[in-house]
Amino acid sequence: MLQLASSRGAGGSVRHRVCAAAVIAVPLLTGCRESLTQVESGIVEAETWPALKIEQTLPGLRDLIATEPPGAAEITLVDRWEATWDHGTAAGGELRDEIYGGARALQLVVDPAAVRVATESVRGALGEVLQFGGSFPPHLAGRIDDAERFVAEAGAASAVEDWTAAGLHALRAADALRETSPRTTAVTLVEAAEDALGPLPSEVDGEPAGPARARRLALWSRIAIQQERYPLAIQRGYYACLLLGVRLP
């Protein structure tokens, strides 16, 4: 099960309340490493490419559907949504945008009680993030801000009983936090490295030492992901990107 982070206090955004000073930028894979100002147990791989280990269980698309049993269209949509998490944030995010649009076109029937639970779960996750302390680099802070915005929109839609909109906003808030998870972070890095590497060159041409080493690191990162050793997968994917000069958002 995809799991992530916890509850939000009153007033102000998580990003602004957590970041007492300016956000410390993680280097864009072009130079030496930099760590967060404060490393807590909820932050994974702070010295390479940080991810958030959030304990709060986040809602998925299947949790929101009111139709029981779900129809073929709903099942297909859920299966497509779940498959997006085999990809990193770039490819997976594009696929999920299509699914959100498909859910609106389908006029997905959601359970109001499930929407309320989903919204509170995301608020709980945001609250858990508050407990991590320190400052977040942009790739985390931006997604935390997105989660805050979507959960606020879910609350506003719930207030006027627009349950389909509220459910989709709650799901998008949860997905923004899922994108900060160690697994998704590892997949994002290895996909970026693989995209930069391209296909394996022929034996005749060979491959320079740097790209060859990056290719091995990307492969080893994939192996670590399969073994659910996500911090190790992040390290390997990060260094593969570093060798290739990949710039990550």
Side-chain angles (χ1 to χ4, degrees), residues 29 49 184-194 233-234 237-238 241 248:
L29 304 184
W49 196 252
T184 300
T185 300
V187 176
T188 298
L189 290 167
V190 75
E191 282 187 347
E194 289 168 346
I234 290 171
Y238 174 88
C241 289
L248 295 173

Side-chain angles (χ1 to χ4, degrees), residues 198-212:
L200 185 67
S202 67
E203 292 183 10
V204 175
D205 297 328
E207 190 169 33

Side-chain angles (χ1 to χ4, degrees), residues 152-241:
E153 291 174 359
S158 295
V160 296
E161 299 187 353
D162 185 351
W163 298 113
T164 298
L168 288 174
H169 288 317
L171 179 65
R172 296 190 74 166
D175 287 351
L177 291 181
R178 279 193 182 90
E179 289 186 349
T180 71
S181 71
R183 185 185 188 282
T184 300
T185 300
V187 176
T188 298
L189 290 167
V190 75
E191 282 187 347
E194 289 168 346
D195 287 346
L197 283 163
L200 185 67
S202 67
E203 292 183 10
V204 175
D205 297 328
E207 190 169 33
R213 185 182 176 208
R215 195 177 296 277
R216 289 194 298 273
L217 284 167
L219 173 61
W220 296 338
S221 180
R222 285 285 185 192
I223 292 170
I225 290 168
Q226 291 172 359
Q227 296 172 341
E228 299 184 1
R229 300 170 69 188
Y230 302 128
L232 180 60
I234 290 171
Q235 291 173 22
R236 290 169 172 175
Y238 174 88
Y239 287 117
C241 289

